């Protein structure tokens, strides 16, 4: 019960949600053998990103993927940024979702430090959802370390929040739902996109 109350207390203060790509936004699998690398994602997670943005939380993806391997997350971020509620489509719209590619391990942490410094935030206002050892340096620095259900045990042991659903299957939505609950926000009062 003490961990739950700590989680809700910290979730109220989060202003930045850092997120991994494979294993969180997408399942930690890829379809090989085709002329392209196929990945799938859950629309629940897309709505979770929209809910976080609707309450003013900045969303930043930091992935080790780069080049052709990052096409799926690059396309997904572009879709988020083209929603009618986003800037520049709407002057008072949601802040842009950012993507940093080719950043693993300590580079994820360095990228988060740079983003926070440039935007006037601190680690005490940040959450990060990751699923494997490459995510540990950043998970250990944020106020709210989070993991999807299938994350490695070592990662779940660090996490203050562990989603009920797996990466690519609603883990981000579970996180968003928890943040809304912590803040006493009814999701029906928020714009869907």
């Amino acid at each position: 019960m003490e961990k739950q109350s700590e989680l809700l207390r910290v979730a109220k203060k989060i202003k930045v949600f850092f997120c991994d790509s494979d294993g969180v936004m997408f399942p930690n699998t890829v379809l090989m053998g085709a002329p392209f690398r196929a990945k799938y994602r859950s629309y629940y997670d897309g709505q979770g990103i929209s809910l976080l943005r609707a309450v003013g939380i900045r969303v930043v993806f930091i992935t080790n993927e780069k080049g052709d391997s990052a096409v799926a997350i690059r396309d997904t971020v572009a879709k988020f940024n083209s929603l009618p509620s986003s800037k520049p489509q709407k002057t008072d719209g949601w802040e842009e979702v950012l993507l940093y590619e080719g950043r693993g391990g300590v580079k994820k942490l360095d990228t988060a430090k740079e983003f926070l410094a440039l935007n006037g935030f601190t680690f005490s206002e940040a959450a990060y959802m990751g699923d494997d050892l490459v995510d540990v340096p950043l998970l250990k620095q944020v106020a709210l370390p989070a993991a999807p259900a299938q994350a490695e045990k070592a990662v779940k042991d660090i996490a203050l929040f562990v989603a009920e659903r797996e990466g690519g299957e609603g883990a981000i939505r579970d996180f968003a739902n928890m943040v809304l609950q912590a803040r006493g926000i009814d999701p029906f009062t928020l714009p869907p996109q």
Side-chain angles (χ1 to χ4, degrees):
M1 193 65 173
E2 188 175 312
K3 185 176 180 181
Q4 180 69 12
S5 61
E6 172 69 5
L7 170 65
L8 297 177
R9 185 188 66 74
V10 173
K12 289 178 186 177
K13 296 192 278 183
I14 296 304
K15 295 180 181 175
V16 179
F17 176 62
F18 293 114
C19 190
D20 188 20
S21 175
D22 288 334
V24 179
M25 186 71 203
F26 306 109
N28 209 9
T29 58
V30 64
L31 177 64
M32 301 297 289
F36 55 87
R37 293 173 56 130
K39 297 181 183 185
Y40 67 91
R41 71 171 179 87
S42 168
Y43 282 107
Y44 291 124
D45 287 326
Q47 185 63 53
I49 296 293
S50 290
L51 292 170
L52 292 172
R53 294 173 78 198
V55 298
I57 295 174
R58 296 292 308 268
V59 178
V60 181
F61 285 92
I62 306 175
T63 180
N64 201 32
E65 298 286 309
K66 62 184 174 185
D68 291 344
S69 297
V71 169
I73 189 61
R74 202 176 301 129
D75 290 349
T76 300
V77 167
K79 181 178 180 177
F80 292 150
N81 288 330
S82 68
L83 292 174
S85 298
S86 299
K87 292 179 182 177
Q89 288 81 354
K90 191 175 171 186
T91 55
D92 63 342
W94 299 339
E95 292 294 333
E96 176 182 38
V97 175
L98 297 179
L99 169 63
Y100 295 93
E101 301 176 30
R103 317 285 173 101
V106 175
K107 288 182 183 177
K108 286 189 180 209
L109 177 58
D110 292 342
T111 300
K113 284 179 184 176
E114 290 171 23
F115 173 84
L116 293 171
L118 284 172
N119 291 280
F121 298 115
T122 65
F123 279 113
S124 66
E125 301 168 307
Y128 178 60
M129 184 176 275
D131 69 311
D132 211 340
L133 300 178
V134 69
D135 301 305
V136 169
L138 183 49
L139 284 166
K140 286 184 171 182
Q141 291 299 311
V142 296
L144 204 168
Q150 90 295 344
E152 285 296 310
K153 182 181 180 320
V155 170
K156 289 193 282 189
D157 288 346
I158 294 169
L160 185 56
F161 174 82
V162 177
E164 291 183 17
R165 293 182 269 193
E166 295 188 359
E169 297 179 3
I172 294 171
R173 180 62 176 273
D174 288 347
F175 180 84
N177 289 341
M178 177 275 300
V179 168
L180 294 180
Q181 176 190 359
R183 295 176 182 203
I185 297 172
D186 179 352
F188 292 113
T189 65
L190 299 174
Q193 58 173 335

